[in-house]
Amino acid sequence: MNASIEINRNSLADLKKKTLLVLTPSYPNVDESFIAETFVKYQVAELKQYFQKLIVIAPVLRSFGHFKKDRLCRNYSYDNVEVYYPRSIYIPLFWTGEIMVDNRLKIVEQTIDKYHLDFDLIHAHFTWPSGYIGVKLKEKYGKPVVTTIHENGEWFDKEVEMDHPLINAAWSGPNALIRVNQKDVPVLQRYNKDVYSIPNGFSPFFYPIETTIAREQLNLSADMKVVFSLGNLIKRKGFNYLIDSMDIICQQRNDVLCFIGGAGKERRRLQGQIDRMHLSGNVRLLGSLPGDQLSLWMNACDIFVLPSLNEGNPTVMFETLGCGKPFVGTRVGGVPEVITSEDYGLLVNPADSEDLAYKILAALDREWNREKILAHAKQYTWGNVAKEIMNVFEKVSG
């Protein structure tokens, strides 16, 4: 990416009179007691300055009151953004992969009709269902659509292998596709000639704070080395390999603490692994962290580690760099496209605890140049990423 991105002023003036419709599987609710696809809201925060109005439609699966998302998500508005959470039904046949019921397209159309929503341009997030819905709305309303494909590498590869007509339509139908890494662009060009590589970004909430100050606020020792990691506790994130690596690290030095933030179905298994390996004094699962603590943890650590088995382009990587901290992560998805120099972090083979341990030890022993990391991070602010996206909008709206 180029940090000095310009947008055609005449095109900006034209778009300023228009309304952007954003389709996303989830969106944080009004008080952020429900948080999902937060990066979409961060992106919207930058894009809304370029449009007269933004409309966000995030279908919520109807659960008859049993699930948190259904209970907490209610329509709301702020600034020039309107957010709608229509209730929908989606029932897959897990044993075949087929879909028995999915009315999300229908309820999005009903929401548009019910609230008399008028829009000029559509931006869909993820291939299914938003990308497909965006294509169908393009056909019905004659409005251009741009789809950003955020899927992690494994998910994306499965979509390609499926060769499903609806997935293929979701990729061939938009006026343009955006992929969050560069390596998958040639694959997508088999479906659509207009494909752009634009990474995720980080919000202004992530900025450098003195490590000692951040640690004081989190009651962390100033004398210990701190490794921080964050993500959903699922197998794909590879936290078991990080725990294994800490066993190796603790055999070589006794001043390293590892904190893992996030919730998920793997928590019990990961805690069992920590207990069996007698690492409870060095590895701690933090659970879900409030949004206002994430930047503190990023700044309190010596290094951030992401041991994922596959990714698209992890937002936490950009947030880490935005805090001026080095990133140690696996060579998956778009990670090597961002960590292009050992000045910004170290890359690791996925599913390799020994390699991860040695890279963490090397990173902890190294003097990092925070200013150089921050200079690299500037190109990935959501403000600059939004300018890249606006250039694509301008091309399809021309």
Side-chain angles (χ1 to χ4, degrees):
M1 283 183 61
N2 184 349
S4 58
I5 304 161
E6 297 296 333
I7 308 174
N8 183 288
R9 292 183 179 276
N10 292 332
S11 299
L12 275 182
D14 188 45
L15 288 172
K16 192 70 175 177
K17 306 171 186 176
K18 295 185 177 182
T19 296
L20 175 68
L21 171 63
V22 177
L23 302 174
T24 176
S26 296
Y27 197 80
N29 66 353
V30 62
D31 61 359
E32 298 199 350
S33 54
F34 172 79
I35 301 177
E37 268 69 80
T38 307
F39 62 88
V40 178
K41 189 169 185 178
Y42 287 151
Q43 189 182 109
V44 163
E46 297 295 335
L47 291 177
K48 64 186 176 68
Q49 66 182 297
Y50 298 110
F51 291 90
Q52 184 180 57
K53 183 166 70 173
L54 269 76
I55 299 168
V56 179
I57 301 182
V60 175
L61 298 183
R62 186 176 295 280
S63 61
F64 304 101
H66 296 299
F67 297 120
K68 184 177 181 181
K69 184 176 179 181
D70 197 350
R71 295 198 312 272
L72 297 178
C73 292
R74 296 290 182 268
N75 299 347
Y76 70 102
S77 62
Y78 62 100
D79 300 330
N80 61 332
V81 181
E82 298 175 1
V83 184
Y84 297 89
Y85 295 106
R87 297 310 190 258
S88 61
I89 300 174
Y90 170 62
I91 305 175
L93 296 175
F94 294 104
W95 55 91
T96 65
E98 298 293 324
I99 299 172
M100 187 166 67
V101 178
D102 188 349
N103 73 340
R104 286 176 287 188
L105 168 59
K106 181 178 179 180
I107 66 99
V108 168
E109 292 178 332
Q110 289 176 344
T111 301
I112 292 170
D113 292 341
K114 178 180 179 180
Y115 295 100
H116 307 289
L117 303 179
D118 189 23
F119 51 91
D120 304 285
L121 175 65
I122 305 165
H123 189 194
H125 292 273
F126 295 94
T127 299
W128 188 267
S130 301
Y132 178 72
I133 293 172
V135 169
K136 301 307 288 184
L137 295 184
K138 173 189 174 183
E139 294 173 359
K140 181 174 182 177
Y141 297 100
K143 307 297 184 180
V145 58
V146 175
T147 297
T148 296
I149 302 170
H150 300 278
E151 290 92 307
N152 66 63
E154 182 181 26
W155 182 2
F156 177 78
D157 290 342
K158 285 182 178 178
E159 288 177 328
V160 175
E161 292 170 7
M162 286 170 62
D163 194 28
H164 196 288
L166 298 185
I167 298 294
N168 296 348
W171 290 345
S172 63
N175 299 77
L177 296 176
I178 295 173
R179 179 60 172 144
V180 292
N181 61 43
Q182 296 173 12
K183 74 181 191 68
D184 294 327
V185 168
V187 175
L188 289 167
Q189 286 175 331
R190 302 202 302 253
Y191 303 85
N192 194 311
K193 64 181 180 65
D194 294 310
V195 184
Y196 302 86
S197 173
I198 302 177
N200 288 324
F202 68 95
S203 83
F205 295 116
F206 294 90
Y207 57 90
I209 303 170
E210 287 301 320
T211 301
T212 53
I213 295 175
R215 289 195 182 186
E216 285 175 3
Q217 294 190 45
L218 294 171
N219 295 316
L220 297 178
S221 169
D223 300 324
M224 300 293 284
K225 293 290 187 179
V226 174
V227 174
F228 180 52
S229 191
L230 176 70
N232 293 325
L233 301 187
I234 55 178
K235 288 184 179 180
R236 177 175 67 81
K237 290 296 184 178
F239 290 121
N240 56 309
Y241 296 102
L242 175 56
I243 295 169
D244 281 341
S245 75
M246 281 299 298
D247 186 45
I248 299 171
I249 291 167
C250 289
Q251 293 174 33
Q252 300 195 33
R253 55 190 301 174
N254 59 8
D255 64 340
V256 181
L257 299 176
C258 177
F259 297 92
I260 303 173
K265 59 184 180 182
E266 289 291 299
R267 175 162 187 159
R268 185 173 180 179
R269 185 176 69 86
L270 294 173
Q271 186 61 57
Q273 180 184 1
I274 293 168
D275 295 340
R276 286 193 308 274
M277 301 179 80
H278 306 289
L279 290 172
S280 57
N282 297 89
V283 182
R284 181 182 169 191
L285 302 180
L286 300 173
S288 295
L289 293 173
D292 59 356
Q293 282 194 16
L294 296 182
S295 180
L296 279 178
W297 277 101
M298 293 282 189
N299 280 285
C301 71
D302 292 283
I303 60 171
F304 183 94
V305 177
L306 191 67
S308 299
L309 302 181
N310 59 78
E311 287 285 352
N313 214 323
T315 303
V316 290
M317 173 173 58
F318 304 107
E319 294 168 347
T320 299
L321 299 176
C323 293
K325 295 294 181 173
F327 178 89
V328 177
T330 46
R331 295 182 180 89
V332 294
V335 173
E337 299 168 7
V338 176
I339 308 301
T340 53
S341 164
E342 291 193 353
D343 289 332
Y344 318 132
L346 301 177
L347 298 179
V348 179
N349 296 323
D352 188 336
S353 299
E354 288 190 9
D355 188 29
L356 182 59
Y358 295 136
K359 292 294 172 58
I360 290 174
L361 287 167
L364 291 175
D365 284 336
R366 181 171 176 172
E367 289 291 331
W368 295 90
N369 187 326
R370 185 173 76 165
E371 295 309 314
K372 186 171 284 190
I373 294 173
L374 290 172
H376 180 61
K378 283 183 179 179
Q379 63 188 305
Y380 300 113
T381 64
W382 273 123
N384 278 327
V385 171
K387 290 177 183 177
E388 292 262 10
I389 295 170
M390 287 301 300
N391 281 328
V392 178
F393 288 167
E394 185 268 329
K395 289 175 184 175
V396 303
S397 300

